[in-house]
Amino acid sequence: MAEPTLRDFQFLIQLVDSGLIQASFKFVDLRALLKSFGALTPDVDAALAQVEANPALLNIGVQTLKDALTKWPLDTPVSVAFGTGTGGGGAVANPITLTPAQIQDAYKAIAGIAATSSKALSEYLTGPNGEKVVNAFYEEMKALASLQADVAANKITKTVFIDKMIGYSIDTSALALQAMNFFTGKTPTQAALNELIDSSTNPADLTDYAYAIYNTGNKYIAFAVNQAMSGTGAASFKTAYDTLSFREAVTKAYDAIIGNTKAAAAGINVSAAVDYIVSQQTYFTTAGHDALGAKAAMAGFLMYAGMEANVGSYNEATRAFLTKAYDGAATYGAELTSAKAVALVGQPAAYDDGAVAA
């Protein structure tokens, strides 16, 4: 087996987020722990064996893994990501050459928010009643400064740079592109996308307090529910999904957003995945307010899950679109992917303000 990569251990972050394990756990602790959860598959077992053969990796914590996932592509060998192998700290072949201004322009083109935006420079965002919430984009600006240093030191290739930028976009442009395509059949125009992400006139865009109160997965869910309740594609969504049982809706949306064939090729048991999502119906109903809203919430979750796992039709199409956005070649207001769950004929590309449904 090849040296394990970050992808081999990405699932650990999901276990942390679900509360099953602590971020402070070390690799040395994981074998027995994963076995107790029934998560010690042969592949994971083999990857752990290689980690355990390298004493420098044994005491790396899951939080360190989580930090590495924000810095490196998923296919980065763990030894490189954690600085214990060759190539992790020096210059790379064919490094990308960009000025700090060009890096900020790339961030705006892909993530949709200007690095000079007041929201990006505020440590906290304030709600209508004076409530404050930590601003994730402020922390992102610190990471962007570190990325600038790596670019200046010739440590970053174009592929790694764009992958990093797309990572920054997961809760902004990647979210809006997928959701609008799902509900209306097309992506927003560039002007509309700007309004959805960082607008001076929209008080509930994706970088405002209204969405800052959510983690990334729940941002996708809230945005999707809003589209289903009051967005331009709401009527079409209702027609396509209202009469379906929840399981039928999950099956339909899963194949459209992830793709059964692509999931199987990635080693995912589609039937088990559908069963798991169906088992969360109560959660999605709470998030969606009613039966139809639950189906929208579920669709939003699938978009998020695809981006996080880097698998599926919508994920691939979104990453391809944002790569083109970096090169200035993206076509806005057009179909993101032909894999749609809502059949829309002659439906104009449109958007609403993305406000969180009350």
Side-chain angles (χ1 to χ4, degrees), residues 79-292:
S79 62
V80 172
F82 302 138
T84 61
T86 59
V92 299
N94 302 314
I96 193 169
T97 303
L98 297 169
T99 65
Q102 288 172 322
I103 292 173
Q104 292 188 359
D105 287 344
Y107 179 81
K108 176 65 170 70
I110 296 179
I113 177 173
T116 55
S117 167
S118 60
K119 284 184 281 188
L121 300 175
S122 301
E123 187 172 0
Y124 299 95
L125 295 177
T126 304
N129 296 318
E131 315 95 324
K132 290 186 180 296
V133 63
V134 174
N135 180 15
F137 300 101
Y138 177 80
E139 294 301 315
E140 214 162 81
M141 289 307 100
K142 295 180 182 178
L144 194 64
S146 177
L147 183 63
Q148 289 176 345
D150 285 343
V151 170
N154 297 322
K155 294 181 179 180
I156 302 293
T157 64
K158 179 179 178 180
T159 298
V160 171
F161 179 81
I162 294 176
D163 188 78
K164 183 69 174 178
M165 288 292 168
I166 291 174
Y168 292 147
S169 83
I170 286 180
D171 57 352
T172 53
S173 53
L175 189 169
L177 289 166
Q178 292 183 88
M180 298 313 299
N181 189 82
F182 182 85
F183 287 99
T184 73
K186 295 182 179 181
T187 63
T189 64
Q190 189 162 21
L193 188 62
N194 291 341
E195 286 294 303
L196 289 168
I197 295 173
D198 185 15
S199 167
S200 60
T201 58
N202 177 5
D205 59 45
L206 287 167
T207 55
D208 278 323
Y209 177 86
Y211 280 94
I213 60 175
Y214 297 109
N215 63 27
T216 303
N218 283 330
K219 285 181 183 179
Y220 275 76
I221 288 172
F223 192 90
V225 170
N226 181 69
Q227 296 305 313
M229 294 180 69
S230 59
T232 303
S236 296
F237 178 74
K238 180 177 175 65
T239 298
Y241 276 81
D242 199 27
T243 61
L244 300 180
S245 69
F246 189 72
R247 178 175 289 278
E248 289 170 338
V250 172
T251 301
K252 184 182 182 74
Y254 190 94
D255 194 27
I257 294 169
I258 305 297
N260 294 345
T261 301
K262 292 184 182 295
I268 296 171
N269 182 324
V270 175
S271 294
V274 168
D275 287 345
Y276 170 77
I277 296 166
V278 171
S279 75
Q280 303 303 306
Q281 181 176 357
T282 300
Y283 174 79
F284 290 127
T285 301
T286 300
H289 310 294
D290 59 26
L292 184 62

Side-chain angles (χ1 to χ4, degrees), residues 34-56:
L34 295 178
K35 187 175 181 179
S36 70
F37 291 142
L40 189 62
T41 65
D43 285 346
V44 172
D45 183 67
L48 276 176
Q50 293 209 36
V51 169
E52 289 161 349
N54 186 337

